[in-house]
Amino acid sequence: MDSFDQKIVQELQRNGRITNAELADKVGLSQSACLRRTKNLEHSGIIRGYSAIVTKPSDDTPLMFVQITLDKQSRENFSRFDEKVRKCSSVLGCYLVTGPFDYLLILRPSDFANFNDIFHQELAALPDVARRISYSVVRTVVGGQELVS
């Protein structure tokens, strides 16, 4: 990705509904060059889709993070875990990370009772897990929309 591609991605992360004409003007390209680059970013998988930022229904709907540590860091364990966690409908995001644990999961249960069910049923059924630690978001300080800088 060159600097124009990075600018395109940044602008689309700010506003996925921007017109190609507006986008081209903001990044300093002709409309045809901007459209071609945007299509290339989509076809290469850098841009995987567009979505809406939705305000959660109420402040009672918790956002939860769960740290997962596998009992053994082997290719087989990672593959087994990856396959099973993709089938967990309650998991909004799952990230393999560096540091003192292996995965970070993001969940949006309907309430804390629902989180308890998810934690003790769905997440407890995941293979090769040595430890699960959960965190509840108390307040969002910055709602990170932009992932590429």
Side-chain angles (χ1 to χ4, degrees):
M1 278 186 22
D2 65 12
S3 63
F4 286 113
D5 289 341
Q6 289 177 341
K7 288 177 187 175
I8 289 169
V9 169
Q10 287 173 345
E11 289 301 326
L12 288 173
Q13 285 182 313
R14 284 188 192 103
N15 179 4
R17 295 178 57 128
I18 191 171
T19 66
N20 183 60
E22 292 171 315
L23 180 60
D25 186 54
K26 284 188 179 254
V27 301
L29 290 170
S30 69
Q31 290 183 29
S32 60
C34 185
L35 184 60
R36 184 179 63 253
R37 284 175 172 268
T38 302
K39 294 293 181 193
N40 285 341
L41 290 166
E42 291 169 350
H43 292 297
S44 70
I46 292 171
I47 296 175
R48 293 183 302 171
Y50 300 88
S51 62
I53 299 168
V54 180
T55 302
K56 64 183 181 173
S58 75
D59 288 334
D60 296 335
T61 306
L63 178 62
M64 307 293 295
F65 294 95
V66 179
Q67 293 178 353
I68 300 286
T69 304
L70 298 184
D71 58 7
K72 181 179 169 191
Q73 285 72 33
S74 69
R75 186 178 306 230
E76 296 79 20
N77 283 11
F78 285 123
S79 294
R80 223 178 354 261
F81 182 88
D82 292 355
E83 181 183 336
K84 293 292 185 183
V85 78
R86 284 185 184 108
K87 296 176 183 174
C88 291
S89 61
S90 302
V91 176
L92 298 179
C94 176
Y95 305 92
L96 178 62
V97 297
T98 60
F101 56 95
D102 299 309
Y103 290 92
L104 180 65
L105 278 57
I106 301 173
L107 306 137
R108 172 80 61 164
S110 57
D111 55 32
F112 286 102
N114 178 235
F115 173 72
N116 189 55
D117 293 341
I118 294 166
F119 192 81
H120 292 291
Q121 293 170 17
E122 269 191 82
L123 300 185
L126 291 170
D128 308 306
V129 173
R131 185 172 48 251
R132 296 170 290 152
I133 301 174
S134 63
Y135 303 90
S136 176
V137 173
V138 174
R139 176 172 57 97
T140 300
V141 178
V142 177
Q145 300 169 16
E146 296 178 33
L147 300 176
V148 177
S149 56

